[in-house]
Amino acid sequence: WPPLSLPCLPVPAGSRASLTAALRTLLAVPWPSQRDVRAWLQLLAVLQWVLSFLLLGEWGCGGVAGPAMRPLTYPHPSGTASLVLLIYLVFTNFWPISALYLAWIIFDWDTPETGGRRLPCLRRWSVWRHFRDYFPVKLVKTHDLSPNHNYIIGSHPHGILCVGAFCNFITGSTGFAEMFPGIRPFLTTLAGNFRLPLFREYLMSGGLCPVTRRAIGYLLSQNGTGNAVAIVIGGAAESLSCRPGITTLILKNRKGFVRMALQHGAYLVPSFSFGENDLFRQVVFEEGSWMRSIQQRFQKMMGFAPCVFYGRGLTSVRSRGFLPYARPITTVVGEPVMVPKIEDPSHEMVDMYHEMYVRSLLKLFNENKTKYGLSEADELRIV
């Protein structure tokens, strides 16, 4: 083909000078350093994680209580973005998408209760490394876990968003698989989250399961050995007592996880995330106040506690927003408490192993508190 010739338009001298000055100004601007780029990537990783739960579903790790397990199964009213999207598509030319997905949910309804559908590739996403480094989050191993047994890992404290539990037991960024070879970690969350379209797929792909007797029982009895089910024992109610400098756990009357461990012969493993309560600032209402009673009543009705809290803003650490502060979190996994298999354990047996678990947790806290940001005078309150 002959070369294509374009007419050359004259460029005014003033415009040429302005262009040259603009180029010089652009070149004079310092390029961001590698440290700045890493900080931006870390901030974006945390932002996408927070938004995914604020827009798709209401995040919260469920607790278990009483002599029998009482799952929190209420769907959350704020996690409706995905549901609204599917309803909107019904009234457009893309209505077959909603119809097909509805048929899929009906067909796939019981999957969360039977081991879920985890995707190892999601646990290896590079975004989780940036998420880990933002705080940073660290996992500490104190004892081996044999793949010949199943385990219930008690995760403490709940905090506001369970960052330590999520990062250590759902993502592979802190090296759980390398520290505990042959162990498959799962994390329980509110069963209502698995009623939300699209969000349920996201949860299952990471290894989350409902905090129900059926789901936990399946993992401990019908999924082989080497399963470690992490349960945030304090649940949503514990988030109401989340404040820096004071560690209060709701554990004294929460014994359903011990009964489950006895029924399936699963060893009990305490874990504690130092720094979890420092990620947000919360307005804590005193016991007996009318605001506290409203929070507690709402928590009983809806399955999660409405907390008044704030973190840092998106553009500045000094501004207030919904992002967590960058505070180090160290999750220490303690020594397993060996538990026999008893199909119908007595109340006395449950109380005995619950007391053994509490003693093991207190020992773990006291031996590590001064290593990871607390003073020797700090105490662990169990209510």
Side-chain angles (χ1 to χ4, degrees):
W1 292 90
L4 178 64
S5 60
L6 297 175
C8 295
L9 300 176
V11 179
S15 300
R16 189 179 303 167
S18 300
L19 180 61
T20 302
L23 288 174
R24 288 178 179 174
T25 303
L26 181 63
L27 293 175
V29 175
W31 289 90
S33 64
Q34 291 185 353
R35 181 179 180 180
D36 292 334
V37 173
R38 285 197 299 269
W40 294 342
L41 291 174
Q42 292 167 11
L43 190 63
L44 290 175
V46 174
L47 177 64
Q48 67 82 27
W49 182 76
V50 173
L51 289 179
S52 67
F53 291 106
L54 291 179
L55 297 179
L56 292 177
E58 182 71 28
W59 172 246
C61 294
V64 289
M69 185 172 295
R70 296 200 301 261
L72 301 175
T73 59
Y74 303 95
H76 296 295
S78 61
T80 57
S82 55
L83 181 60
V84 169
L85 175 61
L86 289 176
I87 294 176
Y88 169 75
L89 292 178
V90 171
F91 301 98
T92 68
N93 293 332
F94 299 98
W95 65 266
I97 296 178
S98 296
L100 290 173
Y101 188 74
L102 177 60
W104 164 253
I105 286 185
I106 295 174
F107 173 78
D108 196 56
W109 188 258
D110 289 335
T111 299
E113 302 278 353
T114 55
R117 188 172 43 250
R118 61 195 299 158
L119 298 176
C121 59
L122 185 140
R123 295 173 57 87
R124 295 193 297 265
W125 274 0
S126 59
V127 68
W128 301 132
R129 295 197 300 271
H130 299 302
F131 179 85
R132 171 202 63 194
D133 295 338
Y134 170 83
F135 299 96
V137 181
K138 180 182 178 183
L139 180 65
V140 176
K141 167 186 173 180
T142 61
H143 293 78
D144 291 330
L145 298 182
S146 170
N148 297 323
H149 301 284
N150 287 324
Y151 304 89
I152 290 181
I153 300 179
S155 180
H156 311 274
H158 183 284
I160 298 295
L161 292 179
C162 303
V163 172
F166 178 87
C167 192
N168 288 296
F169 302 129
I170 293 302
T171 79
S173 60
T174 57
F176 185 96
E178 291 74 21
M179 292 186 189
F180 303 101
I183 303 297
R184 294 181 297 276
F186 297 85
L187 178 63
T188 59
T189 183
L190 303 179
N193 284 327
F194 296 91
R195 307 295 183 259
L196 299 173
L198 301 180
F199 191 55
R200 67 191 294 274
E201 320 299 340
Y202 180 59
L203 294 179
M204 285 192 292
S205 63
L208 285 107
C209 64
V211 58
T212 62
R213 293 181 60 87
R214 182 184 176 191
I216 298 174
Y218 179 91
L219 294 173
L220 297 179
S221 62
Q222 302 181 46
N223 200 43
T225 59
N227 301 292
V229 183
I231 304 175
V232 184
I233 308 298
E238 195 171 86
S239 63
L240 297 178
S241 302
C242 171
R243 67 179 94 176
I246 300 177
T247 307
T248 302
L249 302 183
I250 298 179
L251 180 60
K252 183 178 294 184
N253 295 318
R254 304 237 164 172
K255 303 177 181 180
F257 72 103
V258 178
R259 179 173 293 274
M260 286 288 293
L262 285 165
Q263 289 174 341
H264 299 282
Y267 290 5
L268 291 168
V269 182
S271 71
F272 195 93
S273 293
F274 294 91
E276 183 74 48
N277 285 350
D278 298 330
L279 304 183
F280 293 93
R281 298 290 180 265
Q282 183 181 175
V283 180
V284 179
F285 302 100
E286 297 299 328
E287 289 289 345
S289 64
W290 65 275
M291 281 298 297
R292 184 72 167 198
S293 63
I294 290 177
Q295 287 179 315
Q296 293 173 340
R297 186 173 302 177
F298 196 89
Q299 189 268 329
K300 290 179 180 178
M301 292 174 57
M302 303 305 300
F304 68 98
C307 303
V308 181
F309 66 91
Y310 64 90
R312 58 156 292 179
L314 180 61
T315 58
S316 172
V317 179
R318 298 178 181 85
S319 62
R320 293 186 179 184
F322 56 87
L323 294 178
Y325 292 107
R327 302 287 187 269
I329 302 174
T330 304
T331 301
V332 184
V333 180
E335 181 179 5
V337 176
M338 293 185 291
V339 176
K341 184 176 181 180
I342 305 174
E343 292 186 2
D344 187 19
S346 64
H347 293 293
E348 293 75 17
M349 186 69 66
V350 172
D351 290 341
M352 182 181 72
Y353 279 94
H354 182 270
E355 184 178 350
M356 291 172 61
Y357 175 84
V358 171
R359 287 202 303 266
S360 181
L361 176 61
L362 289 171
K363 178 183 176 183
L364 177 71
F365 177 83
N366 291 323
E367 288 180 350
N368 292 277
K369 60 182 180 181
T370 57
K371 299 178 185 177
Y372 305 114
L374 300 181
S375 67
E376 189 65 40
D378 285 320
E379 296 182 0
L380 185 62
R381 294 175 52 196
I382 296 179
V383 297

